[in-house]
Amino acid sequence: MADKEFPGWHGTTIIGVRKGGKVVIAGDGQVSLGQTVIKGTARKVRRISPGGYDVVAGFAGSTADAFTLLERLEAKLEATPGQLQRASVELAKDWRTDKYLQKLEAMLIVSDGRDLYVITGAGDVLEPEHNIAAIGSGGNYALAAGRALMESDMDAEAVARRAMQIAADICVYTNGNLTVETIDA
């Protein structure tokens, strides 16, 4: 099938919420090819522990590309234990300059409980405003819902879950089958 005929993989909404001394990263389970749901139970949020320091990561985009980036991030964290910002910047620099990595189509949300970052292939390591970040097909819906809920009495997990539910109600590439990981500050 020629590239112009390939309908493209869609699906994934990932949200990261920092509130009340906790960071929660939640992701849906849907993977779609064109108008077809290929899988509804994919796990796009993972906990890694390089060097004995826990980090939670969620990814949107091509699964193989995201796993490549997670492996690279883990290696950077092993080289700089406990320094998520430094490891994230090093990954973003490699991603931007390495000819192989430049072709990767994915984004990451990562947290060690203190910091929350979005890492992109454009070389960005973004610390989100308002303690909330979202990526993927339904990312803007989840972000808007999450920002509206941040002022409520809900804790970080409740905000993330409700924002994902709202995104799933709006975005056809997002479902309500969630993977949720929490990490304390």
Side-chain angles (χ1 to χ4, degrees), residues 3-121:
D3 284 344
K4 65 182 179 181
E5 296 173 23
F6 185 73
W9 294 95
H10 289 285
T12 299
T13 301
I14 305 293
I15 190 168
V17 177
R18 179 176 39 213
K19 186 176 182 184
K22 295 185 184 294
V23 176
V24 173
I25 297 180
D28 77 314
Q30 184 163 312
V31 178
S32 304
L33 178 60
Q35 297 174 339
T36 305
V37 175
I38 300 297
K39 185 173 184 176
T41 59
R43 189 167 177 265
K44 304 168 201 164
V45 177
R46 311 238 180 231
R47 182 178 298 267
I48 57 176
S49 299
Y53 294 91
D54 281 349
V55 172
V56 175
F59 61 85
S62 167
T63 304
D65 292 355
F67 280 131
T68 299
L69 294 170
L70 285 175
E71 288 173 3
R72 296 282 183 126
L73 177 62
E74 198 164 8
K76 298 292 183 190
L77 286 165
E78 286 172 358
T80 58
Q83 298 181 50
L84 180 60
Q85 181 179 26
R86 183 173 175 189
S88 297
V89 169
E90 290 298 318
L91 174 63
K93 285 184 346 188
D94 288 355
W95 194 354
R96 180 87 171 132
T97 59
D98 184 283
K99 289 189 185 298
Y100 167 74
L101 294 178
Q102 285 176 355
K103 297 179 188 331
L104 299 183
E105 296 180 6
M107 292 177 74
L108 302 173
I109 293 180
V110 298
S111 180
D112 59 1
R114 290 183 318 268
D115 297 313
L116 177 65
Y117 298 115
V118 175
I119 307 172
T120 75

Side-chain angles (χ1 to χ4, degrees), residues 147-163:
R147 284 194 50 194
L149 295 167
M150 286 296 278
E151 308 238 349
S152 73
D153 292 337
M154 299 168 81
D155 66 7
E157 183 172 342
V159 169
R161 285 182 180 279
R162 182 67 180 124

